C-alpha cells in the first residue's frame, strides 16, 4: 500500500509558459478541495534543493489565472543532475512533510522527476507546460495556444508593413526540434511559406515557390521559419540567399524571440491548465505515480512519464497539406 498523501508540493521548471499560473492555482485549489495541504516550491529544482517552500492556501492563488509567467518562478538547475543535489532536495521535502510532487514543465523536468522517483520512490505526476507543444502523450501543452495566438497577432502586424512596401519578410518563431508553432501560426496568419524542422523544403524550392507567388500577383510575402528549420540556414542567411537570387525582392527579417513566451494566457490554456491540475492531484491521491497528465481527444488521460519523455510529438501532416494548398 502506498503512503497516504496529506501534503503535495507543486513547482514550475524549465522554460516558463503562459498558463502555468492557472495550473498552479488549480493544483492548490484541488488540494484545498480534498482537505490536503499544498506547498509551493520556488525556482523549480533549485528551490527544492534550497528549501525555498511556502504553504499555499486556496486564497494564496487569487487573481493569477489571467497572468503570464509563473508566480513560483522557474529555473534550470545543473546541481539537480547530481546525486548529491537530489539527496539535498529529498531531505528538504521530507523535512517539510511533503509526500508527493506535481511537476509543471517539459521533458527535462520530467526526466529529472523520473530519476528522483527511481532513487527515492517519491510519488510524482507531471503537467506539460511548454509553448513548443513538443511532448508526446498530449494533443496540447499549456502555453502553446497562447503562443500561437501571439505569433499570429505579430505576423498580422508585420503583414501590414510588408504589403505597404512590397516586402518579403522572414519571421523566425520558436521551435528548435518541432514545427508546431510555425506550422499552425503560419497557416493561421496566411504565410506564403512555412519552414519547419520536420521537412526540408530546400533553397531551390523556396526560391521557386516565391517566384511563383510573385508571378501569381502577390506583391509581398511572409515566410515563417521555425528556429530549427531543416534547410539549416538561419533567417539572416536565408535573407542573404534571397537577396542574391531574387534581387527584385526587398527582404527583411523579424525574429519574434521571447515575446512568444509572455502575455496573458488564452481561455483555452486557462481551461486546459485548470483541468490538468485537478487530474494531477486526484491521480496522486489515487496512488498513481510516474505519469503525465495529457489531453487526448478532449479527455484527460495519463501517459507514463517514461513514454512522454521518449516518445516523439508528431506534426500534423494534414495541416502541412492544407498549408501547401493555401499558398497556391
Ligand atoms: P522546456 O521544454 O521549456 O525547455 P524542460 O523541462 O525540458 O522545459 P530543461 O531545462 O530541459 O527544461 O529541464 C529542467 C530542469 O530539469 C533542468 O534544469 C534540470 O534541473 C532538470 N533535469 C533535466 N534533465 C535532467 C537529468 N537528466 N537528471 C536530473 N535532472 C534533470
Amino acid at each position: 500500500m502506498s503512503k497516504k498523501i496529506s501534503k503535495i508540493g507543486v513547482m514550475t521548471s524549465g522554460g516558463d509558459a503562459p498558463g502555468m499560473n492557472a495550473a498552479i492555482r488549480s493544483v492548490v485549489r484541488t488540494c484545498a478541495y480534498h482537505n490536503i495541504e499544498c506547498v509551493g516550491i520556488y525556482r523549480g529544482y533549485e528551490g527544492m534543493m534550497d528549501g525555498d517552500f511556502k504553504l499555499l492556501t486556496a486564497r494564496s492563488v487569487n487573481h493569477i489565472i489571467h497572468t503570464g509567467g509563473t508566480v513560483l518562478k522557474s529555473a534550470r538547475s545543473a546541481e539537480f543532475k547530481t546525486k548529491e543535489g537530489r539527496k539535498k532536495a529529498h531531505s528538504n521535502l521530507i523535512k517539510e512533510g511533503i509526500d508527493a510532487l506535481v511537476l509543471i514543465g517539459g521533458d527535462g523536468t520530467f526526466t529529472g522527476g523520473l530519476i528522483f522517483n527511481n532513487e527515492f520512490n517519491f510519488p510524482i505526476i507531471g503537467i506539460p507546460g511548454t509553448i513548443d507543444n513538443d511532448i508526446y502523450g498530449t494533443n496540447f501543452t499549456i502555453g502553446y495556444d497562447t503562443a500561437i495566438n501571439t505569433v499570429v497577432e505579430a505576423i498580422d502586424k508585420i503583414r501590414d508593413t510588408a504589403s505597404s512596401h512590397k516586402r518579403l519578410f522572414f519571421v523566425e518563431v520558436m521551435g528548435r526540434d518541432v514545427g508546431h508553432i510555425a506550422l499552425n501560426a503560419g497557416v493561421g496568419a496566411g504565410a506564403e511559406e512555412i519552414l519547419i524542422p520536420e521537412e526540408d523544403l530546400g533553397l531551390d524550392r523556396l526560391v521557386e515557390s516565391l517566384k511563383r507567388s510573385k508571378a501569381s500577383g502577390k506583391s509581398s510575402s511572409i515566410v515563417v521559419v521555425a528556429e530549427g528549420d531543416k534547410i539549416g540556414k538561419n533567417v539572416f542567411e536565408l535573407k542573404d540567399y534571397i537577396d542574391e537570387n531574387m534581387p527584385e525582392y526587398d527582404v527583411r527579417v523579424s525574429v519574434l524571440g521571447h515575446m512568444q513566451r509572455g502575455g496573458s494566457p488564452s481561455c483555452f490554456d486557462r481551461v486546459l491548465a485548470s483541468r490538468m491540475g485537478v487530474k494531477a492531484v486526484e491521480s496522486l491521491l489515487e496512488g498513481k505515480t510516474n505519469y503525465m497528465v495529457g489531453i487526448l481527444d478532449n479527455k484527460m488521460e495519463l501517459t507514463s512519464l517514461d513514454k512522454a519523455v521518449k516518445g516523439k510529438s508528431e506534426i500534423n501532416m494534414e495541416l502541412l497539406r492544407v498549408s501547401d494548398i493555401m499558398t497556391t
Side-chain angles (χ1 to χ4, degrees), residues 116-175:
F116 191 72
N117 171 272
N118 194 31
E119 286 170 346
F120 302 104
N121 194 24
F122 207 91
I124 54 165
I125 293 278
I127 293 181
T130 164
I131 63 163
D132 291 329
N133 205 33
D134 58 348
I135 308 259
Y136 178 86
T138 189
N139 297 141
F140 302 103
T141 57
I142 295 170
Y144 169 65
D145 182 69
T146 306
I148 55 177
N149 280 296
T150 300
V151 171
V152 164
E153 204 184 315
I155 296 177
D156 286 349
K157 289 177 176 156
I158 289 169
R159 187 179 288 287
D160 288 345
T161 166
S163 58
S164 302
H165 293 277
K166 302 189 173 182
R167 280 178 178 152
L168 164 64
F169 263 89
F170 285 109
V171 182
E172 187 190 271
V173 302
M174 285 189 175

Side-chain angles (χ1 to χ4, degrees), residues 11 13-16 20 45-46 49 75-82 86 104-113 115-116 129-132 134-135 261:
M11 69 173 212
S13 162
D16 62 299
M20 279 183 161
Y45 290 124
E46 277 293 312
M49 289 180 298
R76 300 190 197 267
S77 166
E79 195 188 350
F80 192 77
K81 292 188 177 175
T82 67
R86 292 191 296 271
I104 306 168
D107 53 2
T109 301
F110 299 158
T111 302
I115 293 170
F116 191 72
T130 164
I131 63 163
D132 291 329
D134 58 348
I135 308 259
R261 282 192 190 284

Side-chain angles (χ1 to χ4, degrees), residues 59-123:
R59 295 288 73 76
S60 315
V61 288
N62 284 350
H63 313 306
I64 64 168
I65 191 167
H66 61 294
T67 58
T70 158
V71 292
L72 290 179
K73 314 289 179 201
S74 189
R76 300 190 197 267
S77 166
E79 195 188 350
F80 192 77
K81 292 188 177 175
T82 67
K83 179 97 192 208
E84 290 66 38
R86 292 191 296 271
K87 263 193 196 156
K88 223 192 310 176
H90 182 249
S91 82
N92 283 337
L93 294 177
I94 297 299
K95 236 188 282 166
E96 185 73 23
I98 295 172
D99 307 307
L101 291 171
V102 175
L103 309 173
I104 306 168
D107 53 2
T109 301
F110 299 158
T111 302
L114 276 175
I115 293 170
F116 191 72
N117 171 272
N118 194 31
E119 286 170 346
F120 302 104
N121 194 24
F122 207 91

